[in-house]
Amino acid sequence: MAEFTHFNEEGRAKMVDVSDKPETARTALAHSSITVSKEIFEKITNNEMKKGDVLSVAQVAAVMAAKKTWDLIPMCHPIPLTGVNISFSWEKGQQENYQLHIAAAVKTKGNTGVEMEALTAASVCALTVYDMCKAVDKGMVIGPTYLVEKTGGKNGDFKRTEQVK
């Protein structure tokens, strides 16, 4: 079991000192999704949503979120990201709904990982879709959100093997 490193001698939270860790190439891929009605699906895919191009705005929001993760999550380090890519795919669900799958891939060369940046990007992307579509239907469901894989760092690589539903 790994030792908890985010606590000081008094048992209080601290930001971990990563200054002695070597710089390595690090990547993370996170997934989120949002389930929407057929009406929202059609409005998004036909670019008929009143607030504008939903996926373009959500994609920009996701990139911005990845870059600002350290402002949102208290113990995250500011990281110079070398790449952020957001991709989308649709899946027809049951009961006339559709699921938008969001993949957030983040890269850096540094001394700490980018898992939180990828997870934040995927989450904010889904939240942005919700915000842009809530006037049509507030019944959308976000999630699940999870880490798919990560590379680099002293703890090595991680790749999710089980299917998340």
Side-chain angles (χ1 to χ4, degrees):
M1 184 67 67
E3 180 183 324
F4 290 113
T5 58
H6 285 73
F7 295 104
N8 67 14
E9 303 78 32
E10 299 169 343
R12 299 190 183 277
K14 72 171 185 174
M15 179 186 260
V16 174
D17 181 0
V18 297
S19 58
D20 291 334
K21 291 171 72 176
E23 281 195 0
T24 60
R26 296 163 186 260
T27 67
L29 175 64
H31 174 275
S32 191
S33 61
I34 182 166
T35 302
V36 303
S37 66
K38 180 179 181 183
E39 180 182 9
I40 289 176
F41 166 76
E42 289 174 352
K43 286 184 180 294
I44 290 173
T45 56
N46 294 321
N47 201 19
E48 296 172 349
M49 200 59 70
K50 288 185 179 181
K51 285 190 174 184
D53 184 341
V54 174
L55 298 186
S56 290
V57 173
Q59 188 165 13
V60 171
V63 171
M64 291 173 64
K67 292 169 33 174
K68 298 296 264 176
T69 299
W70 64 276
D71 266 343
L72 300 170
I73 310 296
M75 301 305 160
C76 284
H77 295 82
I79 298 174
L81 302 179
T82 58
V84 179
N85 186 37
I86 309 301
S87 57
F88 302 103
S89 63
W90 286 102
E91 180 181 359
K92 174 128 175 43
Q94 301 161 343
Q95 303 150 358
E96 293 294 313
N97 63 25
Y98 291 80
Q99 191 170 42
L100 176 64
H101 294 279
I102 301 160
V106 179
K107 294 180 179 182
T108 192
K109 184 172 184 180
N111 50 11
T112 191
V114 288
E115 298 96 286
M116 293 308 300
E117 287 72 13
L119 287 162
T120 300
S123 299
V124 169
C125 189
L127 288 167
T128 302
V129 171
Y130 187 99
D131 177 58
M132 293 191 70
C133 300
K134 68 183 185 275
V136 175
D137 178 14
K138 292 175 179 50
M140 295 170 281
V141 176
I142 294 173
T145 301
Y146 55 90
L147 183 67
V148 176
E149 63 184 44
K150 75 101 176 168
T151 64
K154 76 172 188 175
N155 293 327
D157 297 349
F158 166 83
K159 185 168 180 84
R160 185 170 300 280
T161 56
E162 74 277 3
Q163 183 72 21
V164 177
K165 293 283 179 181

